[in-house]
Coordinates of all heavy atoms in Angstrom, one line a residue:
M1 N -6.9 -23.5 11.0 CA -5.7 -23.9 11.6 C -5.3 -22.9 12.7 O -5.6 -21.7 12.5 CB -4.6 -24.1 10.6 CG -4.8 -25.1 9.6 SD -3.4 -25.2 8.5 CE -3.2 -26.9 8.4
S11 N 5.7 -22.8 3.5 CA 5.1 -21.7 2.8 C 5.0 -22.1 1.3 O 5.7 -23.0 0.8 CB 6.0 -20.4 2.9 OG 7.2 -20.7 2.3
A19 N 7.1 -12.2 -17.8 CA 7.5 -10.9 -18.4 C 6.5 -10.5 -19.4 O 6.0 -11.3 -20.2 CB 8.9 -11.0 -19.0
P20 N 6.1 -9.2 -19.4 CA 5.2 -8.7 -20.4 C 5.8 -8.8 -21.8 O 7.0 -8.6 -22.0 CB 4.9 -7.3 -20.0 CG 6.1 -6.9 -19.2 CD 6.6 -8.1 -18.5
I22 N 6.9 -7.6 -25.2 CA 7.4 -6.3 -25.7 C 7.0 -6.3 -27.2 O 7.3 -7.2 -28.0 CB 8.9 -6.2 -25.6 CG1 9.2 -6.2 -24.1 CG2 9.4 -4.9 -26.2 CD1 10.7 -6.1 -23.8
R23 N 6.3 -5.2 -27.6 CA 5.9 -5.0 -28.9 C 6.5 -3.9 -29.6 O 5.9 -3.1 -30.3 CB 4.3 -4.9 -29.0 CG 3.6 -6.1 -28.5 CD 2.2 -5.9 -28.4 NE 1.7 -5.4 -29.6 CZ 0.4 -5.1 -29.8 NH1 -0.5 -5.2 -28.9 NH2 0.0 -4.6 -31.0
A24 N 7.8 -3.7 -29.3 CA 8.6 -2.5 -29.9 C 9.0 -2.9 -31.3 O 9.1 -4.1 -31.6 CB 9.7 -2.2 -29.0
E30 N 11.6 -1.9 -41.1 CA 10.4 -2.5 -41.7 C 10.4 -2.4 -43.2 O 11.0 -1.5 -43.7 CB 9.1 -1.8 -41.2 CG 8.8 -2.1 -39.7 CD 7.5 -1.6 -39.4 OE1 6.6 -1.5 -40.3 OE2 7.3 -1.3 -38.2
H37 N 3.8 3.4 -47.2 CA 4.9 4.3 -47.0 C 4.5 5.8 -47.2 O 4.9 6.7 -46.4 CB 6.1 4.0 -47.9 CG 7.2 5.0 -47.8 ND1 8.1 5.0 -46.8 CD2 7.6 6.0 -48.7 CE1 8.9 6.0 -46.9 NE2 8.7 6.6 -48.1
N40 N 1.0 9.0 -45.0 CA 0.9 10.3 -44.3 C 1.2 11.5 -45.2 O 1.3 12.6 -44.7 CB 1.9 10.3 -43.2 CG 1.5 9.4 -42.1 OD1 0.3 9.1 -41.9 ND2 2.5 8.8 -41.4
D47 N 4.8 25.6 -46.1 CA 4.2 26.7 -45.4 C 2.7 26.5 -45.1 O 2.1 26.9 -44.1 CB 4.3 28.0 -46.2 CG 5.8 28.5 -46.3 OD1 6.5 28.2 -45.3 OD2 6.1 29.1 -47.3
V53 N -1.9 25.9 -35.1 CA -2.0 24.8 -34.2 C -0.8 23.9 -34.3 O -0.2 23.4 -33.3 CB -3.3 24.0 -34.4 CG1 -3.4 22.8 -33.5 CG2 -4.5 24.9 -34.2
R56 N 2.3 25.6 -32.8 CA 2.2 25.6 -31.3 C 2.6 24.2 -30.8 O 3.4 24.1 -29.9 CB 0.9 26.0 -30.8 CG 0.8 26.0 -29.3 CD -0.6 26.4 -28.8 NE -1.5 25.4 -29.2 CZ -2.8 25.7 -29.5 NH1 -3.2 26.9 -29.4 NH2 -3.6 24.8 -29.9
N60 N 5.9 23.5 -28.6 CA 5.9 23.0 -27.2 C 6.7 21.7 -27.1 O 7.4 21.5 -26.1 CB 4.4 22.7 -26.9 CG 3.6 23.9 -26.6 OD1 4.2 25.0 -26.3 ND2 2.3 23.8 -26.7
N68 N 14.6 18.5 -21.5 CA 14.8 17.2 -20.9 C 15.8 16.4 -21.6 O 16.0 15.2 -21.4 CB 13.4 16.4 -21.0 CG 12.4 17.0 -20.1 OD1 12.6 17.0 -18.9 ND2 11.4 17.5 -20.6
G74 N 23.0 21.2 -24.9 CA 24.3 21.6 -25.2 C 24.5 22.1 -26.6 O 25.2 23.1 -26.9
C76 N 22.1 23.5 -28.4 CA 21.4 24.8 -28.4 C 22.3 25.9 -27.9 O 22.4 27.0 -28.4 CB 20.1 24.8 -27.7 SG 18.8 23.8 -28.6
F81 N 25.7 30.6 -28.6 CA 26.9 31.3 -28.3 C 27.7 31.6 -29.6 O 28.2 32.7 -29.7 CB 27.8 30.4 -27.4 CG 29.1 31.1 -27.1 CD1 29.1 32.0 -26.1 CD2 30.3 30.7 -27.7 CE1 30.3 32.6 -25.8 CE2 31.5 31.3 -27.4 CZ 31.5 32.3 -26.4
L83 N 26.3 32.1 -32.6 CA 25.5 33.0 -33.4 C 25.5 34.4 -32.7 O 25.7 35.4 -33.4 CB 24.1 32.5 -33.6 CG 23.2 33.3 -34.4 CD1 23.7 33.4 -35.9 CD2 21.8 32.8 -34.4

Side-chain angles (χ1 to χ4, degrees):
M1 298 182 135
S11 63
I22 297 175
R23 296 175 51 184
E30 289 192 25
H37 176 74
N40 293 326
D47 292 331
V53 174
R56 182 179 60 213
N60 289 338
N68 292 297
C76 291
F81 181 76
L83 183 65

